[in-house]
Amino acid sequence: LGWGPAAADRKKPYLLHKLESEPPMTAEVTRDELLGYYSLMFRMRRMEISADTLYKAKHVKGFCHLYDGQEAICVGMEAGATWGDSVVTSYRDHAWQLSRGDTVKGVLCELLGKQGGCAKGMGGSMHMYKADANFYGGNGIVGSQAPLGAGIAFAHKFAGDGCCSFALYGDGAANQGQLFEALNMAALLQLPLVYVCENNQYGMGTSKKRSSANDDYYTRGGYVPGIKCDGMNVLSVRECT
């Protein structure tokens, strides 16, 4: 790539719902940016593999929900957002905690019940948070982050700070009633809110084809615009964000 910016082509097109235009099929990116994305995704992967090993050795008490395989979503979104924008997510939250400025040591301390964790070891896997970086955590109840994301977006609108709220959920939470209630309220109030469905094809071992009558989740907002991007491509996610 040399030392200047280069254009990287994407392989999979975006799919649009109620949108007239899509992001460009090429993304301008520098060598340093690519190295930064790779370095962060690599640290996330190694951290999650280490957490998996610790969990299987029974050093992690309670649940341990891993994010390995989905790192490009987190890193791509962070590349397109700022820490002024808020994030609230599901219980797969370790990588988001790292991306918002915590350390691998801090995440593992929380998993192991040590005082050096963000909740002094009392929250564990599903309850990471970093309020000073506008990360409002993992949430242990499926879909519970959807209305929280709307509330955070309302706070941004009330403050007039020009930032937005990202609320992430998995395909397993896509049929939760609270998601659609919060979506309706957000549309009525014109809140600066982006719902992100991290579709990994299965919710608790159940295929999306068996759980959802319509698994084109980007269209499920109905009256709200949607877009589908390649969650395995960090540049695709960045440009979408």
Side-chain angles (χ1 to χ4, degrees):
L1 290 175
W3 294 99
D9 291 328
R10 294 185 294 102
K11 301 299 182 183
K12 295 183 180 180
Y14 293 110
L15 299 179
L16 308 180
H17 173 69
K18 291 187 178 296
L19 289 172
E20 295 180 357
S21 61
E22 67 175 0
M25 286 298 292
T26 58
E28 293 290 328
V29 63
T30 66
R31 177 180 183 273
D32 288 342
E33 286 174 335
L34 286 175
L35 287 173
Y37 301 155
Y38 176 77
S39 175
L40 182 53
M41 288 191 289
F42 185 80
R43 273 189 290 136
M44 289 174 175
R45 179 66 61 91
R46 296 303 304 171
M47 179 183 72
E48 293 295 67
I49 290 173
S50 297
D52 185 34
T53 301
L54 289 167
Y55 179 72
K56 290 173 179 175
K58 299 185 179 181
H59 295 300
V60 176
K61 309 302 181 185
F63 295 102
C64 184
H65 297 284
L66 303 175
Y67 201 72
D68 44 328
Q70 298 178 215
E71 298 91 348
I73 300 173
C74 175
V75 175
M77 286 181 61
E78 290 285 36
T82 72
W83 281 8
D85 299 314
S86 298
V87 175
V88 61
T89 188
S90 68
Y91 41 65
R92 298 190 190 279
D93 56 357
H94 308 164
W96 281 99
Q97 181 75 8
L98 186 65
S99 76
R100 285 277 151 156
D102 206 342
T103 63
V104 172
K105 180 181 178 180
V107 173
L108 294 180
C109 277
E110 187 61 35
L111 287 174
L112 295 171
K114 306 298 183 182
Q115 190 170 356
C118 61
K120 301 187 184 301
M122 295 184 287
S125 175
M126 298 189 288
H127 301 288
M128 305 284 174
Y129 83 102
K130 204 169 189 303
D132 61 353
N134 287 316
F135 176 55
Y136 296 102
N139 290 269
I141 304 301
V142 174
S144 65
Q145 67 274 22
L148 294 178
I152 296 167
F154 183 82
H156 281 301
K157 182 175 181 178
F158 188 80
D161 57 17
C163 297
C164 73
S165 170
F166 292 98
L168 297 98
Y169 62 96
D171 50 294
N175 299 311
Q176 286 277 319
Q178 56 190 327
L179 170 61
F180 294 95
E181 292 180 55
L183 180 67
N184 179 66
M185 184 177 291
L188 283 172
L189 298 177
Q190 293 292 289
L191 300 181
L193 171 63
V194 180
Y195 279 120
V196 181
C197 180
E198 296 181 288
N199 178 13
N200 61 14
Q201 312 297 317
Y202 288 88
M204 293 300 291
T206 302
S207 166
K208 64 177 185 177
K209 293 294 185 182
R210 296 181 60 199
S211 64
S212 299
N214 174 11
D215 60 7
D216 290 327
Y217 297 113
Y218 70 100
T219 70
R220 296 273 295 270
Y223 42 83
V224 175
I227 184 170
K228 179 180 179 180
C229 70
D230 181 6
M232 302 301 288
N233 185 323
V234 66
L235 296 179
S236 178
V237 177
R238 187 192 74 175
E239 295 305 306
C240 183
T241 305

